[in-house]
Amino acid sequence: MPDTYDGGGAGVGAFLAFFFLILPIILILALAGYLISSFFYMKIFEKAGVQGKWRAWVPVYRELVFAKLGDLSPWVMLGAFLVTAVLSNIPVIGPILGYVAIVALALASWRVGLKLGKDWPLVLLYIIPGIGGLIWLGIVAFSNAPWNPNVQPSPWRTSFLRDTTVWRGVPVQPDGGAAPAAGHGAPGAGYVPPAGGTPSSPAGAYPPPTTQTPPPSTEPPAPGAPRP
């Protein structure tokens, strides 16, 4: 019994020693990933016209702004993050729910990529664990293509996934809401009077006189009045 106990204690000690050895390396890599991804987000936000570079350096909030640029509701993105963080440890379905946030980021990335001239196959980089999304951000951040929000409508434009929020400093994307119907709330094409405000007479019509002469008076002159 003592030998078995001592062996178990040595194994735990070795594990703790290894853990504390690699912990600084993990923290350094996590910090480097945060700094690099924040810089990439900042470059993308600048292209899209987002005001305030600080938005790219706030964890979670930057992903919500990114979702808006990708025509996805930021609250859907936040819900995906919560599902992944809280429910990913549930047996059987937990591993599946752990990919909900990645799927949401991939959808927004597809739309952002289209607006920067990148096709959807590039989003497959998210399949690479850990660094796939970082590679995608780097490619898009340093793309030479200008930001073009006028791309094809998203498949979820009429669903609860679409973005209907308005945040100050974040440009509203055209896919965020339906365009107003033609003629509703706007003046229609009708008669436009010519310059000067006086409509012209139709061809062949008799022009009205500019001045009118009153008819001569038929009343008899007063008694004693001189006759003309």
Side-chain angles (χ1 to χ4, degrees):
M1 290 295 295
D3 294 338
T4 304
Y5 177 78
D6 291 342
V12 172
F15 172 77
L16 291 177
F18 177 75
F19 174 77
F20 286 110
L21 178 65
I22 66 172
L23 181 60
I25 300 176
I26 295 175
L27 293 177
I28 291 174
L29 292 177
L31 179 61
Y34 161 74
L35 294 176
I36 295 173
S37 62
S38 296
F39 178 75
F40 290 163
Y41 273 118
M42 184 181 67
K43 299 293 290 184
I44 295 174
F45 290 177
E46 287 179 354
K47 292 175 178 288
V50 176
Q51 299 177 6
K53 295 182 179 180
W54 60 270
R55 301 176 193 268
W57 298 88
V58 182
V60 180
Y61 176 72
R62 65 183 187 178
E63 281 79 11
L64 302 187
V65 176
F66 183 77
K68 288 180 61 62
L69 297 179
D71 305 318
L72 190 67
S73 171
W75 308 128
V76 171
M77 179 68 74
L78 181 60
F81 274 36
L82 292 176
V83 167
T84 298
V86 177
L87 304 180
S88 60
N89 295 322
I90 297 178
V92 182
I93 64 172
I96 299 176
L97 296 177
Y99 289 98
V100 173
I102 297 178
V103 171
L105 281 172
L107 290 177
S109 298
W110 167 53
R111 299 293 297 171
V112 171
L114 285 179
K115 297 174 184 181
L116 287 173
K118 304 300 180 183
D119 294 329
W120 69 267
L122 195 62
V123 182
L124 296 178
L125 287 170
Y126 275 90
I127 299 177
I128 304 176
I131 62 172
L134 193 63
I135 296 175
W136 183 92
L137 286 173
I139 294 175
V140 176
F142 290 97
S143 171
N144 294 326
W147 181 262
N148 177 27
N150 300 314
V151 296
Q152 61 183 0
S154 64
W156 58 82
R157 186 178 184 184
T158 58
S159 71
F160 71 97
L161 297 177
R162 71 169 185 164
D163 178 30
T164 58
T165 62
V166 178
W167 290 1
R168 179 178 299 178
V170 181
V172 176
Q173 303 302 300
D175 192 71
H184 177 72
Y191 172 75
V192 179
T198 303
S200 58
S201 301
Y206 179 77
T210 57
T211 59
Q212 295 183 356
T213 304
S217 176
T218 58
E219 296 182 0
R227 295 179 179 272

